[in-house]
Every structure is written in C-alpha cells, then in structure tokens.
Amino acid sequence: MTEKTAVTPATHTAPPAKFSHGVRKGNILQVAGQVGFLPHVEGRAPTPAGPTLRAQTLQTLENVRSVLEAGGASWDDAMMIRVYLTDTGHFAEMNDIYNAYFEEQGLKEAPAARTTVYVGLPAGLLIEIDALAVLS
Amino acid sequence: MTEKTAVTPATHTAPPAKFSHGVRKGNILQVAGQVGFLPHVEGRAPTPAGPTLRAQTLQTLENVRSVLEAGGASWDDAMMIRVYLTDTGHFAEMNDIYNAYFEEQGLKEAPAARTTVYVGLPAGLLIEIDALAVLS
Amino acid sequence: MTEKTAVTPATHTAPPAKFSHGVRKGNILQVAGQVGFLPHVEGRAPTPAGPTLRAQTLQTLENVRSVLEAGGASWDDAMMIRVYLTDTGHFAEMNDIYNAYFEEQGLKEAPAARTTVYVGLPAGLLIEIDALAVLS
C-alpha cells in the first residue's frame, strides 16, 4: 500500500551514484544531500552556482526546495535541516543568508529543527544540506 | 490535521538563526543539534557548562532531554541519537559519561540507535547531539 | 501500542556503549552507524574486514543490511543512507563499490536518498554508514 517513490526534479543533475535526490514513502519525504549545483544543462558537468558561500547557500536551498516540491511537500513540511559547512568561520554569514532566504519564503509554520556541523566536502563546495519532511 | 509545532524549552537560549530547538508533527519529534550551553540567563551570551567533555556532554544530554520533554516525549521515545565529537580521543570517555547518564535515567526500553562521527565545531565546543524521536 | 524494540543481529559485535544497532517503532526502523567490522567471534575484539575501502564498504553495507533484516525490513525500505568517509579522494571508488553492491542486491524499488560527508573516524576505519527505513 505504502509505496516508496523516487523524487527527481527535472532541473537536477543525475546523482553520481545509485541514489535518489529524494524518496517519499507515505507521509515521509527524505531529501538527499544537496549542494550548490546549478540546474542541469545537457552536456555540462555539474557546476556550482559560484565560488561564494552566498551563491552556494542560496542555490543549495533552492535545490532542496525543488526536491521537496517534486515530492509534494514544501518548506512548511520540513522537520529537520542538516547543514554541513567546511569552515566554522562561515557560520554567521550562512545564518544571515539562511534567515533572509526563509523570510523571503514567507513560512507560515515554525521553521524546522537544524543541526550544523563542519566537515570536509569535495573541492570547491562550501555547503551541503539535506532535509527530512513529514507531510500533513 | 497533522500540524507542525515548534518546541522551545523555556530554559534554552534562542537559536542563532531561524530554526527551532525542536519540531513535532504527528508522532515524530526532531530535536535540533544541542550543545553544552547552560540554561539561558537574560542578558548573558550562550555559555558552555564548562571546558571539559564531561561537563559539556552532561549538559548537552540534558538540553536534548528538555526538548524531548517540551515536545511531550522522553528518552524512551528516542530512536536515533547523533553524537558529534571533535576528537577521536574523546570516544571512550564520552561513552562512559553517556552510559552513566542513561543508567541514571533508568530507561525502561531499549536505548536508541546512535551514530558518532568526528567533525569541526565552533571554538570551545567539544560535543553536539541531536535526536529523532517517535512518540507512542 | 507502538512499542520500541531493539534490533540486534546475532552476528554483530556488542555496541561500545548503551545504544542499539537498530531500533524499530511502528513502521520506522533506524539503523545505527555501522562500520566494516567482521561478524562477531567470541573472544575476539571488533576487527575490520580489511584495510581497504572496498573491504570495509562491502562489510559495512552488509552490516547495515543485517540490521534492516533483523528489524523486518530490507534495502527496499531504506529511505536515507548516510555515508561518512574520511577522504574526499575515496568518493569515486566508494560510488563504484556502492553501485555494484546495489546492482547485485537487485533492488526492485528506487534506491534511497543519500548524503555523503567527510569526517574523522577512529583509526583504521575508512567508512561508516547509517540508515533510516520506513516499512510498508
């Protein structure tokens, strides 16, 4: 009855391995780790939105949103947002960008929970975000 | 029908960005990443319980517990506890503190699953913990 | 009614602290962080399957599978697979091993979502994986 469905926004580059950008089963939607890659262009390798934290954070959030929406959800359904940064010195700026982004989204419900930790990421990437959503 | 609710223990310092210390929707409660900050005192900046792994681990666990309880849950409902340490040399000591803490809590059910990884955290912080709970 | 149950495959070494290799409650099954330890042998300390990424990745995936199955689930139920590597240089090789593994498993549904980040792990360990499953 409850079927698992892959969620793949048309704009997304293909995952680099056998996984899905999102998976929905029942009312649970899991968004895979997103980075700041621009929408896919046929024949172009995955390309970050830019070298800056701002460009990558905004694109990453948009990429998460695309998966949420392709899965029938929205930011309002997000329960947990996991933010991976590469540099503790980026925390304050990321928060500013994050806050401005969510103000613009005009969320009507309480924002999600969040954990931010500092890890290694592939060269050129400054941020990665995944999310767990529970649909109403 | 299933509404998302922010969970904010009165003792907690305000999150440094637009997110909630906890979010509950239906029977799922997600606790945001907690660190070893002491209960909030008006006008005081967030202050770790101490410089030691012991002080921070115990305070962090208490902060997670506060969110669980403010969301109508308890440690018995915890499914997953994610522990972020900064130093692999802290693993054995953290486990000792963790075990003693949960023995004191007198859990009646099986403990949660857990993942421990070693990441960067803001200066002065040695541990961060988040948790996923499923209520009965 | 919905009881939380610890999931402990007979082959697994005992967790190094008060947590369970897996926990199930209702239709949610959380698998704790698994590493590449060989099946438990009485009197032997936890022993990685080998020093290579290949040996450890395959054993780690098998260890996750054992917990899924002990909890009444399978890879088909996996919603999220979290991969922790220690070296960004291991990404491509891990993906090759990961893809081959899941092809062999013959999954009938879409694969899970995934996040891969680069962290510290205890000496000798190159990969850790945990998973969230939602049963049908």
Side-chain angles (χ1 to χ4, degrees):
Chain A
M1 187 58 159
T2 317
E3 210 172 322
K4 191 171 84 171
T5 313
V7 176
T8 309
T11 52
H12 272 48
T13 58
K18 283 177 77 70
F19 67 86
S20 300
H21 283 300
V23 177
R24 179 163 170 191
K25 192 170 184 180
N27 68 333
I28 294 186
L29 172 59
Q30 175 71 55
V31 180
Q34 302 293 307
V35 295
F37 288 152
L38 289 166
H40 179 59
V41 172
E42 191 60 34
R44 186 182 70 185
T47 308
T52 64
L53 184 66
R54 169 168 298 275
Q56 291 193 17
T57 300
L58 291 173
Q59 185 66 51
T60 301
L61 287 166
E62 280 301 284
N63 290 347
V64 173
R65 188 175 63 78
S66 295
V67 181
L68 289 170
E69 293 187 355
S74 74
W75 283 120
D76 278 322
D77 302 303
M79 296 290 287
M80 182 59 160
I81 297 176
R82 295 188 179 277
V83 178
Y84 301 96
L85 294 175
T86 60
D87 185 339
T88 55
H90 288 170
F91 186 58
E93 185 187 353
M94 183 276 292
N95 279 334
D96 287 345
I97 299 165
Y98 188 96
N99 288 349
Y101 176 84
F102 282 109
E103 266 166 42
E104 268 179 29
Q105 298 286 313
L107 288 196
K108 64 177 192 284
E109 300 275 343
R114 198 184 78 179
T115 289
T116 303
V117 291
Y118 303 86
V119 301
L121 293 178
L125 298 178
L126 302 176
I127 186 166
E128 178 165 352
I129 299 178
D130 63 47
L132 175 69
V134 175
L135 286 86
S136 297
Chain B
M1 187 59 159
T2 317
E3 210 173 324
K4 191 170 87 172
T5 314
V7 175
T8 310
T11 51
H12 272 48
T13 58
K18 283 176 77 69
F19 67 86
S20 298
H21 283 300
V23 177
R24 179 165 171 190
K25 192 170 183 178
N27 68 333
I28 294 186
L29 172 60
Q30 176 70 56
V31 179
Q34 303 293 309
V35 295
F37 289 151
L38 290 165
H40 178 60
V41 171
E42 191 61 34
R44 186 182 69 185
T47 306
T52 64
L53 183 67
R54 168 169 298 276
Q56 291 193 17
T57 299
L58 290 173
Q59 185 66 52
T60 300
L61 287 166
E62 280 299 284
N63 290 346
V64 173
R65 188 175 63 79
S66 295
V67 180
L68 288 171
E69 293 187 355
S74 74
W75 283 119
D76 278 322
D77 302 302
M79 297 288 288
M80 182 61 160
I81 297 176
R82 294 187 180 277
V83 177
Y84 301 97
L85 294 175
T86 59
D87 185 339
T88 54
H90 288 169
F91 187 59
E93 184 187 354
M94 183 275 292
N95 279 334
D96 287 346
I97 300 165
Y98 187 95
N99 288 349
Y101 175 85
F102 283 108
E103 265 167 43
E104 268 179 31
Q105 298 286 314
L107 288 196
K108 64 176 189 287
E109 300 275 342
R114 197 183 79 178
T115 289
T116 304
V117 291
Y118 303 86
V119 301
L121 293 177
L125 297 178
L126 302 177
I127 186 167
E128 178 166 352
I129 299 178
D130 62 48
L132 175 69
V134 175
L135 287 85
S136 297
Chain C
M1 187 57 160
T2 318
E3 210 173 324
K4 191 170 86 171
T5 314
V7 176
T8 309
T11 52
H12 273 47
T13 57
K18 282 177 77 68
F19 67 86
S20 298
H21 282 300
V23 176
R24 179 164 172 190
K25 192 171 183 179
N27 67 334
I28 294 185
L29 171 60
Q30 176 70 57
V31 179
Q34 302 294 307
V35 295
F37 289 150
L38 290 166
H40 179 60
V41 171
E42 191 60 36
R44 185 182 70 185
T47 307
T52 65
L53 184 65
R54 169 168 300 273
Q56 291 193 16
T57 300
L58 291 173
Q59 185 67 52
T60 300
L61 287 166
E62 279 301 284
N63 289 346
V64 173
R65 188 175 64 79
S66 295
V67 180
L68 289 170
E69 294 186 355
S74 74
W75 283 119
D76 279 321
D77 303 302
M79 297 289 288
M80 182 59 161
I81 298 177
R82 295 188 180 277
V83 178
Y84 301 97
L85 294 174
T86 59
D87 185 339
T88 55
H90 288 169
F91 187 58
E93 184 187 354
M94 183 274 292
N95 278 335
D96 288 346
I97 300 164
Y98 188 95
N99 288 350
Y101 176 84
F102 282 109
E103 266 167 42
E104 267 180 31
Q105 298 286 314
L107 287 196
K108 62 176 191 285
E109 300 274 344
R114 198 184 78 180
T115 290
T116 304
V117 291
Y118 303 87
V119 301
L121 292 177
L125 297 178
L126 302 176
I127 186 167
E128 179 165 352
I129 299 179
D130 62 49
L132 175 69
V134 175
L135 286 87
S136 297

